[in-house]
């Protein structure tokens, strides 16, 4: 398996910037195009917020690689930032949480709840990783954010401003690929059942809490990779589906990645 430490994305197309450090002092590295750095706006992709959702990290690294090696997007470099690994300590320890035992995707301010089922931290922004991500978003003010998770097999849009982004990503899929995902768009009849409440998630903060100085808010889509690569997403996943995935990942990670790359890369390109 590819280790994140071995990856480097260098100029001319991507530069890198340190946006902070994890609890255990590992670097949080943003890869970005010159157009992304030149002005507010653009698209920010985030992977590995849950450290054990390893496919999200490797998919973003392979997407970066493809952009650097001749994908058509190269011809018109997008304003694009990529944070492949938002929780490096969790990735190393193969845990959902950071080294403090906090679920970073419950540590954002909007809707934060001490009663969250997953450990939310002592207060909003208690963790260095969530603060670094907050500060990166506040300083860059991306127009679109896609945060990758594994593996509910869905596109989940928070806030009404996020619907066009979710639809663009959905429309990039072939009918066969769509069968692997479910589309969940706030305030739309396409939601069934209604979106689950994730108190203190990045999606809640960007979708409902965060406003830039000009009053606008970023569009945000949570892209949950599919739980399987060949059969339609069932209406509800069995409670033990994550355990099943972890076993399957150990056995056949490469085959899983190769099978999902097509659909995920199409959606990422549509979000650029
Ligand atoms: Zn996740």
């Amino acid at each position: 398996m590819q280790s994140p430490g071995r990856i480097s994305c260098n100029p001319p197309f991507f530069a890198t910037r340190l946006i902070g450090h994890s609890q255990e002092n590992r670097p949080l590295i943003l890869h970005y195009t010159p157009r992304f750095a030149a002005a507010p706006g653009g698209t920010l992709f985030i992977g590995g917020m849950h450290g054990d959702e390893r496919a999200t990290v490797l998919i973003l690294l392979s997407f970066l690689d493809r952009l650097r090696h001749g994908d058509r997007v190269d011809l018109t470099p997008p304003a694009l930032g990529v944070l492949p690994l938002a929780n490096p300590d969790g990735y190393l320890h193969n845990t959902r949480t950071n080294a403090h035992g906090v679920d970073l995707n419950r540590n954002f301010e909007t809707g934060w709840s001490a009663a969250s089922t997953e450990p939310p931290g002592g207060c909003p922004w208690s963790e260095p990783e969530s603060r670094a991500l907050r500060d990166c978003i506040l300083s860059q003010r991306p127009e679109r954010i896609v945060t990758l998770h594994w593996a509910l097999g869905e596109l989940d849009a928070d806030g009404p401003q996020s619907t066009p982004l979710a639809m663009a990503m959905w429309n990039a899929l072939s009918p066969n690929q769509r069968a692997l995902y479910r589309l969940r768009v706030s305030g739309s009849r396409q939601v069934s059942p209604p979106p689950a409440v994730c108190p203190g998630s990045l999606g809640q903060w960007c979708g409902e809490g965060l406003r830039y100085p000009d009053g606008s808010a970023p569009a945000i889509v949570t892209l949950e990779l599919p739980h399987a690569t060949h059969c339609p997403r069932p209406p509800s996943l069995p409670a033990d589906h994550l355990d099943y995935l972890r076993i399957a990942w150990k056995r056949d990670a490469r085959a899983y990645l190769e099978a999902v790359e097509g659909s995920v890369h199409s959606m990422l390109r549509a979000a650029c």
Side-chain angles (χ1 to χ4, degrees):
M1 184 184 304
Q2 222 164 12
S3 127
R6 287 176 50 222
I7 299 299
S8 63
C9 292
N10 294 317
F13 191 54
F14 279 95
T16 57
R17 178 158 62 91
L18 186 67
I19 63 162
H21 287 90
S22 67
Q23 181 61 31
E24 292 182 339
N25 211 33
R26 295 190 175 85
L28 300 166
I29 298 171
L30 176 74
H31 304 251
Y32 63 94
T33 61
R35 273 187 61 202
F36 187 76
T43 304
L44 175 63
F45 294 141
I46 301 162
M49 185 167 327
H50 290 142
D52 56 352
E53 296 177 5
R54 309 172 79 83
T56 66
V57 180
L58 299 180
I59 281 279
L60 280 182
L61 291 173
S62 75
F63 186 66
L64 272 170
D65 246 13
R66 188 180 283 199
L67 288 178
R68 287 185 300 135
H69 293 107
D71 197 288
R72 63 173 180 80
V73 181
D74 263 356
L75 300 174
T76 312
L80 179 61
V82 182
L83 179 65
L85 186 47
N87 177 10
D89 298 346
Y91 189 90
L92 192 81
H93 301 307
N94 201 22
T95 57
R96 175 182 176 92
T97 60
N98 73 350
H100 260 158
V102 173
D103 186 332
L104 298 175
N105 208 32
R106 299 293 180 273
N107 191 236
F108 289 76
E109 185 174 44
T110 306
W112 183 90
S113 168
S116 160
T117 309
E118 296 86 7
C123 62
W125 312 124
S126 60
E127 304 309 302
E129 297 91 347
S130 49
R131 289 196 300 272
L133 189 48
R134 172 197 64 188
D135 295 346
C136 173
I137 291 170
L138 289 177
S139 63
Q140 173 62 34
R141 299 181 209 160
E143 213 177 320
R144 297 170 294 278
I145 298 172
V146 178
T147 176
L148 276 70
H149 285 262
W150 191 59
L152 300 178
E154 65 184 36
L155 280 81
D156 193 353
D158 278 295
Q161 75 278 12
S162 305
T163 300
L165 175 59
M167 293 309 298
M169 294 169 68
W170 182 255
N171 290 335
L173 296 172
S174 71
N176 281 347
Q177 290 170 333
R178 279 180 203 163
L180 304 174
Y181 298 89
R182 174 171 65 179
L183 180 63
R184 290 155 68 101
V185 179
S186 303
S188 134
R189 288 185 187 166
Q190 282 156 337
V191 177
S192 179
V197 175
C198 296
S201 68
L202 172 67
Q204 280 220 338
W205 179 58
C206 293
E208 297 160 33
L210 171 63
R211 291 298 173 267
Y212 295 145
D214 67 358
S216 67
I220 181 157
V221 169
T222 301
L223 165 54
E224 291 268 2
L225 304 185
H227 70 294
T229 56
H230 55 281
C231 46
R233 186 198 186 288
S236 59
L237 299 174
D240 63 351
H241 88 283
L242 279 175
D243 296 330
Y244 169 79
L245 275 167
R246 289 189 183 104
I247 293 165
W249 177 255
K250 277 185 191 155
R251 198 176 54 223
D252 219 0
R254 177 55 52 193
Y256 173 83
L257 283 172
E258 284 173 0
V260 300
E261 268 175 354
S263 63
V264 179
H265 286 187
S266 295
M267 286 189 278
L268 297 181
R269 272 199 304 274
C272 283

mmCIF file of all heavy atoms in Angstrom, residues 154-170:
data_model
loop_
_atom_site.group_PDB
_atom_site.id
_atom_site.type_symbol
_atom_site.label_atom_id
_atom_site.label_comp_id
_atom_site.label_asym_id
_atom_site.label_seq_id
_atom_site.Cartn_x
_atom_site.Cartn_y
_atom_site.Cartn_z
ATOM 1 N N GLU A 154 -22.817 7.473 -1.085
ATOM 2 C CA GLU A 154 -23.794 8.548 -1.339
ATOM 3 C C GLU A 154 -23.111 9.894 -1.547
ATOM 4 O O GLU A 154 -21.948 10.093 -1.198
ATOM 5 C CB GLU A 154 -24.799 8.643 -0.191
ATOM 6 C CG GLU A 154 -24.202 9.043 1.128
ATOM 7 C CD GLU A 154 -25.235 9.036 2.247
ATOM 8 O OE1 GLU A 154 -26.125 8.159 2.220
ATOM 9 O OE2 GLU A 154 -25.157 9.883 3.135
ATOM 10 N N LEU A 155 -23.887 10.804 -2.128
ATOM 11 C CA LEU A 155 -23.502 12.209 -2.227
ATOM 12 C C LEU A 155 -24.470 12.967 -1.342
ATOM 13 O O LEU A 155 -25.678 12.900 -1.532
ATOM 14 C CB LEU A 155 -23.641 12.728 -3.662
ATOM 15 C CG LEU A 155 -22.529 12.409 -4.646
ATOM 16 C CD1 LEU A 155 -22.715 10.997 -5.172
ATOM 17 C CD2 LEU A 155 -22.590 13.375 -5.797
ATOM 18 N N ASP A 156 -23.908 13.692 -0.389
ATOM 19 C CA ASP A 156 -24.730 14.360 0.610
ATOM 20 C C ASP A 156 -24.413 15.852 0.569
ATOM 21 O O ASP A 156 -23.286 16.255 0.839
ATOM 22 C CB ASP A 156 -24.379 13.759 1.979
ATOM 23 C CG ASP A 156 -25.369 14.129 3.047
ATOM 24 O OD1 ASP A 156 -26.258 14.951 2.766
ATOM 25 O OD2 ASP A 156 -25.247 13.606 4.169
ATOM 26 N N ALA A 157 -25.405 16.668 0.198
ATOM 27 C CA ALA A 157 -25.191 18.112 0.074
ATOM 28 C C ALA A 157 -25.798 18.823 1.271
ATOM 29 O O ALA A 157 -26.958 18.602 1.608
ATOM 30 C CB ALA A 157 -25.824 18.626 -1.216
ATOM 31 N N ASP A 158 -25.006 19.652 1.919
ATOM 32 C CA ASP A 158 -25.495 20.440 3.064
ATOM 33 C C ASP A 158 -25.738 21.876 2.645
ATOM 34 O O ASP A 158 -24.863 22.511 2.071
ATOM 35 C CB ASP A 158 -24.456 20.430 4.190
ATOM 36 C CG ASP A 158 -24.537 19.177 5.034
ATOM 37 O OD1 ASP A 158 -25.555 18.985 5.705
ATOM 38 O OD2 ASP A 158 -23.570 18.385 4.996
ATOM 39 N N GLY A 159 -26.912 22.398 2.971
ATOM 40 C CA GLY A 159 -27.222 23.784 2.642
ATOM 41 C C GLY A 159 -27.719 23.913 1.213
ATOM 42 O O GLY A 159 -27.241 23.210 0.319
ATOM 43 N N PRO A 160 -28.680 24.805 0.995
ATOM 44 C CA PRO A 160 -29.275 24.927 -0.342
ATOM 45 C C PRO A 160 -28.265 25.331 -1.418
ATOM 46 O O PRO A 160 -28.433 24.986 -2.585
ATOM 47 C CB PRO A 160 -30.351 26.012 -0.157
ATOM 48 C CG PRO A 160 -30.027 26.685 1.134
ATOM 49 C CD PRO A 160 -29.294 25.712 1.970
ATOM 50 N N GLN A 161 -27.198 26.025 -1.025
ATOM 51 C CA GLN A 161 -26.202 26.460 -2.014
ATOM 52 C C GLN A 161 -25.415 25.281 -2.589
ATOM 53 O O GLN A 161 -24.686 25.439 -3.560
ATOM 54 C CB GLN A 161 -25.241 27.489 -1.388
ATOM 55 C CG GLN A 161 -24.187 26.936 -0.435
ATOM 56 C CD GLN A 161 -24.709 26.694 0.976
ATOM 57 O OE1 GLN A 161 -25.908 26.735 1.221
ATOM 58 N NE2 GLN A 161 -23.815 26.441 1.915
ATOM 59 N N SER A 162 -25.558 24.112 -1.977
ATOM 60 C CA SER A 162 -24.744 22.967 -2.388
ATOM 61 C C SER A 162 -25.410 22.084 -3.437
ATOM 62 O O SER A 162 -24.761 21.197 -4.004
ATOM 63 C CB SER A 162 -24.413 22.112 -1.154
ATOM 64 O OG SER A 162 -23.795 22.900 -0.172
ATOM 65 N N THR A 163 -26.689 22.321 -3.696
ATOM 66 C CA THR A 163 -27.410 21.452 -4.633
ATOM 67 C C THR A 163 -26.795 21.432 -6.035
ATOM 68 O O THR A 163 -26.611 20.345 -6.615
ATOM 69 C CB THR A 163 -28.890 21.859 -4.706
ATOM 70 O OG1 THR A 163 -29.446 21.739 -3.396
ATOM 71 C CG2 THR A 163 -29.674 20.979 -5.653
ATOM 72 N N PRO A 164 -26.442 22.589 -6.632
ATOM 73 C CA PRO A 164 -25.864 22.531 -7.987
ATOM 74 C C PRO A 164 -24.583 21.712 -8.053
ATOM 75 O O PRO A 164 -24.355 20.977 -9.026
ATOM 76 C CB PRO A 164 -25.593 24.006 -8.320
ATOM 77 C CG PRO A 164 -26.544 24.776 -7.454
ATOM 78 C CD PRO A 164 -26.653 23.980 -6.182
ATOM 79 N N LEU A 165 -23.753 21.799 -7.024
ATOM 80 C CA LEU A 165 -22.519 21.018 -7.010
ATOM 81 C C LEU A 165 -22.839 19.522 -6.954
ATOM 82 O O LEU A 165 -22.269 18.722 -7.688
ATOM 83 C CB LEU A 165 -21.646 21.432 -5.816
ATOM 84 C CG LEU A 165 -20.374 20.617 -5.591
ATOM 85 C CD1 LEU A 165 -19.452 20.669 -6.798
ATOM 86 C CD2 LEU A 165 -19.632 21.095 -4.335
ATOM 87 N N ALA A 166 -23.770 19.159 -6.075
ATOM 88 C CA ALA A 166 -24.134 17.737 -5.966
ATOM 89 C C ALA A 166 -24.708 17.234 -7.290
ATOM 90 O O ALA A 166 -24.389 16.115 -7.725
ATOM 91 C CB ALA A 166 -25.145 17.543 -4.835
ATOM 92 N N MET A 167 -25.523 18.049 -7.942
ATOM 93 C CA MET A 167 -26.127 17.618 -9.200
ATOM 94 C C MET A 167 -25.071 17.481 -10.306
ATOM 95 O O MET A 167 -25.129 16.578 -11.131
ATOM 96 C CB MET A 167 -27.224 18.594 -9.636
ATOM 97 C CG MET A 167 -28.447 18.618 -8.725
ATOM 98 S SD MET A 167 -29.153 16.987 -8.372
ATOM 99 C CE MET A 167 -29.613 16.457 -10.022
ATOM 100 N N ALA A 168 -24.100 18.410 -10.325
ATOM 101 C CA ALA A 168 -23.033 18.319 -11.334
ATOM 102 C C ALA A 168 -22.247 17.023 -11.158
ATOM 103 O O ALA A 168 -21.885 16.351 -12.135
ATOM 104 C CB ALA A 168 -22.100 19.527 -11.227
ATOM 105 N N MET A 169 -21.995 16.662 -9.914
ATOM 106 C CA MET A 169 -21.252 15.429 -9.653
ATOM 107 C C MET A 169 -22.098 14.201 -10.017
ATOM 108 O O MET A 169 -21.611 13.238 -10.600
ATOM 109 C CB MET A 169 -20.816 15.394 -8.184
ATOM 110 C CG MET A 169 -19.798 16.485 -7.849
ATOM 111 S SD MET A 169 -19.489 16.682 -6.082
ATOM 112 C CE MET A 169 -18.649 15.138 -5.696
ATOM 113 N N TRP A 170 -23.372 14.257 -9.668
ATOM 114 C CA TRP A 170 -24.290 13.147 -9.984
ATOM 115 C C TRP A 170 -24.413 12.963 -11.495
ATOM 116 O O TRP A 170 -24.382 11.839 -12.006
ATOM 117 C CB TRP A 170 -25.644 13.461 -9.366
ATOM 118 C CG TRP A 170 -26.695 12.407 -9.542
ATOM 119 C CD1 TRP A 170 -27.763 12.444 -10.394
ATOM 120 C CD2 TRP A 170 -26.785 11.161 -8.838
ATOM 121 N NE1 TRP A 170 -28.509 11.304 -10.263
ATOM 122 C CE2 TRP A 170 -27.940 10.498 -9.314
ATOM 123 C CE3 TRP A 170 -26.007 10.541 -7.850
ATOM 124 C CZ2 TRP A 170 -28.342 9.243 -8.843
ATOM 125 C CZ3 TRP A 170 -26.406 9.286 -7.376
ATOM 126 C CH2 TRP A 170 -27.555 8.664 -7.874
#
